[in-house]
Amino acid sequence: MTETCPPEASQRIPMLVLGGWLGSGKTTLVNRLLAEAPGGERIVVFVNDIGEVDIDAGLIAARSGDTVELTNGCACCSIGDSLGAALRDQVLSPDPPDRIVIEASGVAEPDRVAAYGDRRRIRPDGIVVCVDATDVVRCAGNRLTGRLVHRQVAAADLLILTKCDLADDGGAAALAWCQGETEAPVVTSPVLRSEGGSWVDLVLGGMERLDAAEISHHEPPEPLDFPLDATLWSPSYPVAAEAVAAALAEVASSEPALLRAKGVFADGVVHLAAGRVTVDPRPDGADPTGQLVLIADFGWDRRRACFDLGRLTR
Amino acid sequence: MITVFTARRVHTMDLSLPEATAVAVLDGRIIEVGSLDSLQPWLSRHDHVVDDGFADAVILPGLIDPHVHPGLIALLLACEWVTPEAWDLPGRHVPATVGREAFVARLYELEAFHPAGEPLVVYGWHAQFHGELFRDDLDAISTDRPIVLWQRSFHELRCNTPALAWLEAEEGAEWDPHIDLEAGRMWESGMGFGLRILNPHLIGGEHLGQRLEEMIRMVHGGGVTTIGDPGYAMADLDHYLDALLSVHEGANVPFRQYLIPAIFRYRLEFGADHAEKLAQHEALATDRIRFLHAAKFFADGAFIAQLMQVGPPGYIDGHEGAWMANPDRIADHIRPSWEQGRRIDIHVNGDMGLDAALDAIDMLLHEIPRFDHRTVIHHFGLSTQAQSRRMAALGVSVQANGYFLNLFGDAFVDRWLGAERASQITRVGSARRNGISVALHSDLPMGPLLPMKAASNMSTRLTLSGEILGLEERLSPYDAIAAVTIEAAWQLRLDHEIGSLAAGKQADLVVLDGDPFELDPTAWPDIPIRATVLGGEVYPCD
């Protein structure tokens, strides 16, 4: 039993579940997340694997992170591993991670994986499901694999269409399939291309706060074009998180296309999501960058936004 | 010195010379099977003794159970047992217990006689046979002592309040969605959470060796002289092999044991060093314990827990099975072992699992053709006519669980599959009609280690309720006995050594007090086993 009190909700560790069929690009995306995560952020990757460990875990380049390998097979065949227990061990350790990413097995249902973890200490940070543009239509129609592929996609908060560059049609058929799936009432996820880089910010920024329904219904994404744009606001002077938050709230109220923002400052972390600006304490070990990452629909006035942020914080 | 064992009848399980009355043995091997008369060319020229202790008995080749898990049964031997079917365990007989009232009465009895302060862990509860039992029901038996019921299919624990505290379930429930405190349930990975405490309690430290020692008698009592263990050890391979090699080796151990690695367990435990580590382990082979040039893989989920992958029309209640490996990638898992010339064993239960496994073998055969590859489908819960023919074409053989139909057939008729498909559980008759090798196993502890019972089950196709399911899928009496002798040997690639009685082969025998070929197969489980002989050494049964 633990003796420490549960931390404040804002200090809960975000937990992202990355699902999708084997070969759909999950490991590539994990490596991108590890490579592009803010400096100093410690990410622990749980590989929830069933005998594919040589294929998956071995390929994860744990830049600043750690990898915990699990097997959740049938108890008759592999007694012992428990994702819940492994999460507990990491979160309650003296050096808990700043972020948890669970790479679900290719045959797992990601929403079932996302149900693990003490909610007083872990903040569900969304389910991202990779879809292989070259293979998803075949997998979805296959007698052995089809039902599970549909369930995986249906569970997603965000679908990431991968390998569009390798598909003969640039991924058009796969995108159409995804959009067909997302018309189902349970799924309202946007489809993003992995070649665009900004999904990393979206994923790392906190999926929980992203109103996926709003984005997916905003505008049908231009086929094969990433619908969002990102920019960086970096003031050359020291600035307090509260001041940034106040400025950001004002900018957001006049720029509806601005969807997400996040920045780590010396005295706190500033978020914008779903129209709300919040300031969280800066986690230990998260180096302040003094910068704000801004994500918005194309066509927004980024110069004006940066100008206003500067004007309001000086 | 030649020893001649005489018998009322010897069934060699070699149709070239099916019956005899004497077996002559020198240095552990058979030098001739025949009669005292026919043996004269040997006996007139060499010293010999005639052992006529079995002169009124019937000798068969030592029975083979090619799929047994000593590591798992060791864990369960540390528990009390209340099971829907009868078991003979070392030092105790477990009678069949059916019905909620009988089960609860037995729990009260066990609790009353259990040492003070010790948790009571009971294996064998199954809602289908014993009704539902929740936390409150178990609290009614004791609110002081932890009481844990371990479900017959292994996928769930039911706990009383002290047991929930003992297994730290309250904390576990915060982390794992498969723990229900109110009901006292811990299932799947939630059970895994509890096993972190339960396992060391049951087989920690010296306990593993002690339990492995006990299970020696279970093997012997079944008339078994050879076991296979595909996917040995549940975790910590080094620790397990240490214990196994020190306990299951030696003249007191009346059986040979063949280990087949599950490659993914090596990968999980040893990562990049897994191949090297496997080679190191294979070098530990002793007289009794050998490693086969084979490898075990998995397709779909378990039969008893209804997690096998069933194709259309699926389960009656609409639930879905589970995959244990990505069905698209089974060939990728197998390929390195296939390239090494290893024989391939695949855990398969449902017809969709079988499709996935056969697709993989089909693909590998096209890539790297192999003659005599002897790939074996293990368990073989549900399959189709088309699959029987395809298996024959691919040269894939069947190693069926000999107990699925008998123990669970009724429930699969009533609840899960309906009569037509439940009648085709372990459709071994179709396999034989297509010329496929059929062997039987217990998957101990999934079924009891009693090959004569498994052979009887598949020859009669009787369920616990006395129904016959799938009469046309029964084995002939000869094929049923072959399935626990020569066919099992062939599947292990050991048929030149064991599985039938002929000059040059190991002198491994089972001595029965009755002749199975004179008796109805329903009577086979009751034929007393008088002794086994391993390499010419006699091991009397109690």
Side-chain angles (χ1 to χ4, degrees):
Chain A
M1 291 304 215
T2 56
E3 274 124 43
T4 53
C5 289
E8 294 299 310
S10 62
Q11 293 173 323
R12 292 183 302 162
I13 300 171
M15 180 178 89
L16 174 79
V17 175
L18 191 57
W21 204 245
L22 190 74
S24 63
K26 296 190 296 296
T27 304
T28 306
L29 295 196
V30 167
N31 284 335
R32 284 280 296 278
L33 286 176
L34 290 173
E36 298 187 22
E41 181 167 288
R42 178 163 170 263
I43 298 180
V44 170
V45 181
F46 289 76
V47 183
N48 181 207
D49 218 322
I50 49 163
E52 287 153 1
V53 70
D54 59 317
I55 300 169
D56 285 350
L59 297 179
I60 291 180
R63 181 193 64 128
S64 63
D66 304 85
T67 303
V68 178
E69 292 169 9
L70 297 164
T71 170
N72 270 8
C74 154
C76 340
C77 315
S78 57
I79 281 182
D81 282 339
S82 156
L83 176 58
L87 283 170
R88 181 194 62 172
D89 293 348
Q90 282 291 327
V91 170
L92 300 185
S93 75
D95 180 26
D98 301 311
R99 181 182 297 279
I100 289 168
V101 175
I102 302 182
E103 183 180 341
S105 108
V107 292
E109 293 172 50
D111 47 339
R112 296 184 63 178
V113 175
Y116 287 80
D118 184 345
R119 294 296 187 256
R120 296 169 303 172
R121 297 180 171 82
I122 280 178
R123 174 163 61 82
D125 204 30
I127 297 172
V128 177
V129 171
C130 296
V131 175
D132 181 343
T134 66
D135 201 35
V136 68
V137 175
R138 181 196 69 82
C139 277
N142 180 279
R143 173 172 173 268
L144 299 180
T145 57
R147 289 186 304 205
L148 190 47
V149 168
H150 280 88
R151 288 208 300 278
Q152 289 179 342
V153 169
D157 295 316
L158 177 73
L159 288 174
I160 296 183
L161 193 61
T162 61
K163 304 188 191 174
C164 291
D165 50 332
L166 301 179
D168 293 338
D169 61 354
L175 182 70
W177 183 84
C178 289
Q179 287 171 334
E181 287 297 300
T182 56
E183 276 167 17
V186 288
V187 178
T188 54
S189 307
V191 178
L192 305 179
R193 296 181 67 195
S194 61
E195 288 84 359
S198 298
W199 65 267
V200 174
D201 298 314
L202 201 59
V203 167
L204 290 178
M207 292 285 300
E208 179 190 54
R209 300 163 191 215
L210 178 75
D211 186 345
E214 184 185 315
I215 286 199
S216 66
H217 295 144
H218 202 268
E219 285 274 312
E222 288 294 310
L224 305 185
D225 264 325
F226 183 70
L228 302 177
D229 185 31
T231 198
L232 200 63
W233 174 65
S234 14
S236 55
Y237 47 90
V239 57
E242 285 298 341
V244 175
L248 185 59
E250 192 166 334
V251 169
S253 69
S254 62
E255 177 57 271
L258 182 58
L259 296 169
R260 287 275 302 118
K262 182 183 178 183
V264 181
F265 297 87
D267 57 344
V269 181
V270 178
H271 294 277
L272 164 72
R276 288 192 310 116
V277 177
T278 52
V279 180
D280 291 342
R282 180 166 60 87
D284 290 339
D287 289 334
T289 58
Q291 298 176 330
L292 202 57
V293 177
L294 301 160
I295 299 171
D297 274 349
F298 276 115
W300 70 312
D301 190 343
R302 77 176 76 177
R303 283 166 188 273
R304 175 66 197 230
C306 289
F307 171 77
D308 283 342
L309 284 167
R311 179 174 60 83
L312 295 166
T313 54
R314 274 190 195 276
Chain B
M1 172 86 83
I2 294 170
T3 302
V4 182
F5 296 102
T6 58
R8 177 160 73 84
R9 190 168 297 129
V10 177
H11 292 287
T12 65
M13 299 313 289
D14 179 346
L15 285 173
S16 181
L17 176 67
E19 291 185 9
T21 54
V23 180
V25 176
L26 181 64
D27 296 333
R29 294 209 175 242
I30 296 168
I31 55 166
E32 185 163 333
V33 178
S35 63
L36 281 176
D37 278 349
S38 74
L39 290 172
Q40 282 313 308
W42 283 101
L43 303 185
S44 63
R45 291 176 178 85
H46 297 280
D47 289 344
H48 64 274
V49 291
V50 175
D51 182 339
D52 61 0
F54 307 137
D56 59 341
V58 174
I59 289 178
L60 268 67
L63 303 179
I64 299 170
D65 191 330
H67 192 132
V68 171
H69 297 305
L72 256 185
I73 192 72
L75 190 61
L76 291 183
L77 284 175
C79 307
E80 296 291 347
W81 287 44
V82 186
T83 45
E85 74 280 31
W87 285 77
D88 275 304
L89 301 180
R92 51 182 155 150
H93 174 74
V94 180
T97 302
V98 176
R100 192 174 189 280
E101 207 175 314
F103 188 88
V104 171
R106 183 74 187 121
L107 284 185
Y108 272 102
E109 206 172 282
L110 287 171
E111 204 281 330
F113 290 97
H114 206 63
E118 278 284 299
L120 176 63
V121 185
V122 179
Y123 166 69
W125 166 76
H126 195 300
Q128 176 196 322
F129 299 98
H130 304 129
E132 282 295 353
L133 283 164
F134 296 110
R135 173 179 175 168
D136 291 347
D137 303 303
L138 299 176
D139 278 344
I141 298 169
S142 175
T143 48
D144 302 324
R145 181 203 300 283
I147 299 178
V148 179
L149 304 185
W150 199 336
Q151 200 215 20
R152 177 65 177 75
S153 81
F154 278 106
H155 287 252
E156 181 164 351
L157 305 175
R158 293 281 168 98
C159 304
N160 69 349
T161 302
L164 290 171
W166 178 44
L167 299 179
E168 298 175 2
E170 197 176 327
E171 190 190 357
E174 300 288 351
W175 296 92
D176 195 308
H178 302 133
I179 298 176
D180 179 342
L181 295 172
E182 198 176 330
R185 297 180 63 204
M186 304 176 82
W187 70 102
E188 303 293 347
S189 59
M191 182 178 97
F193 201 95
L195 291 185
R196 287 154 51 101
I197 292 159
L198 197 54
N199 272 359
H201 171 76
L202 295 174
I203 51 165
E206 300 300 304
H207 292 314
L208 175 60
Q210 289 162 10
R211 302 306 179 187
L212 286 171
E213 175 97 44
E214 283 178 24
M215 76 85 65
I216 292 172
R217 293 169 60 190
M218 297 182 80
V219 181
H220 187 215
V224 172
T225 53
T226 295
I227 60 172
D229 182 356
Y232 51 91
M234 295 304 118
D236 197 347
L237 289 154
D238 282 322
H239 173 62
Y240 178 76
L241 288 174
D242 266 358
L244 190 77
L245 288 159
S246 66
V247 176
H248 281 190
E249 175 56 49
N252 64 315
V253 181
F255 57 90
R256 306 174 198 282
Q257 180 163 189
Y258 290 89
L259 305 182
I260 298 164
I263 301 299
F264 93 98
R265 284 237 60 100
Y266 274 85
R267 283 178 172 146
L268 272 177
E269 205 169 320
F270 303 113
D273 301 329
H274 71 269
E276 193 184 330
K277 198 71 192 183
L278 175 57
Q280 284 171 18
H281 283 168
E282 286 172 337
L284 299 173
T286 63
D287 180 49
R288 294 284 203 260
I289 299 173
R290 306 282 175 93
F291 291 78
L292 288 178
H293 193 55
K296 186 194 187 187
F297 300 91
F298 295 85
D300 58 333
F303 177 89
I304 303 177
Q306 304 104 40
L307 289 171
M308 65 175 171
Q309 284 284 7
V310 175
Y315 290 98
I316 291 172
D317 68 353
H319 85 270
E320 303 252 354
W323 289 107
M324 295 192 60
N326 190 311
D328 263 1
R329 298 296 289 270
I330 293 173
D332 297 334
H333 295 308
I334 297 175
R335 189 174 289 106
S337 297
W338 185 267
E339 287 170 350
Q340 291 166 11
R342 287 180 184 267
R343 212 179 45 67
I344 304 302
D345 292 294
I346 315 177
H347 159 116
V348 176
N349 280 303
D351 55 331
M352 288 225 295
L354 185 54
D355 270 348
L358 296 182
D359 286 353
I361 296 303
D362 199 340
M363 180 188 292
L364 292 167
L365 277 168
H366 279 89
E367 289 175 16
I368 307 174
R370 279 173 70 184
F371 292 99
D372 198 22
H373 55 90
R374 299 196 203 186
T375 299
V376 176
I377 299 298
H378 286 241
H379 312 320
F380 195 55
L382 194 64
S383 59
T384 66
Q385 180 186 37
Q387 288 176 326
S388 292
R389 292 172 186 245
R390 188 177 180 209
M391 290 175 73
L394 293 174
V396 170
S397 53
V398 166
Q399 194 182 103
N401 185 301
Y403 301 88
F404 281 169
L405 185 85
N406 177 251
L407 297 177
F408 301 99
D410 298 321
F412 275 81
V413 171
D414 291 342
R415 295 187 60 181
W416 309 117
L417 297 176
E420 181 198 335
R421 285 180 297 159
S423 298
Q424 291 162 6
I425 290 168
T426 52
R427 49 186 291 159
V428 287
S430 294
R432 289 302 299 135
R433 283 192 286 280
N434 282 289
I436 296 168
S437 166
V438 171
L440 299 176
H441 66 224
S442 63
D443 196 9
L444 181 82
M446 299 299 153
L449 210 169
L450 299 170
M452 292 302 289
K453 170 70 173 151
S456 167
N457 288 342
M458 286 295 96
S459 193
T460 63
R461 296 192 66 89
L462 281 166
T463 68
L464 278 188
S465 73
E467 293 290 314
I468 292 174
L469 280 187
L471 185 66
E472 299 308 324
E473 291 299 338
R474 70 192 184 280
L475 292 178
S476 72
Y478 188 88
D479 282 347
I481 300 291
V484 294
T485 54
I486 187 61
E487 295 302 325
W490 183 86
Q491 292 186 8
L492 294 167
R493 217 187 272 287
L494 294 169
D495 51 315
H496 57 299
E497 285 281 273
I498 57 173
S500 66
L501 304 179
K505 296 186 78 165
Q506 297 279 6
D508 293 358
L509 319 173
V510 61
V511 184
L512 304 175
D513 276 347
D515 186 342
F517 293 112
E518 290 176 354
L519 295 165
D520 187 90
T522 53
W524 290 355
D526 301 320
I527 301 174
I529 295 169
R530 191 185 295 184
T532 62
V533 177
L534 188 80
E537 289 297 315
V538 176
Y539 293 86
C541 292
D542 321 319

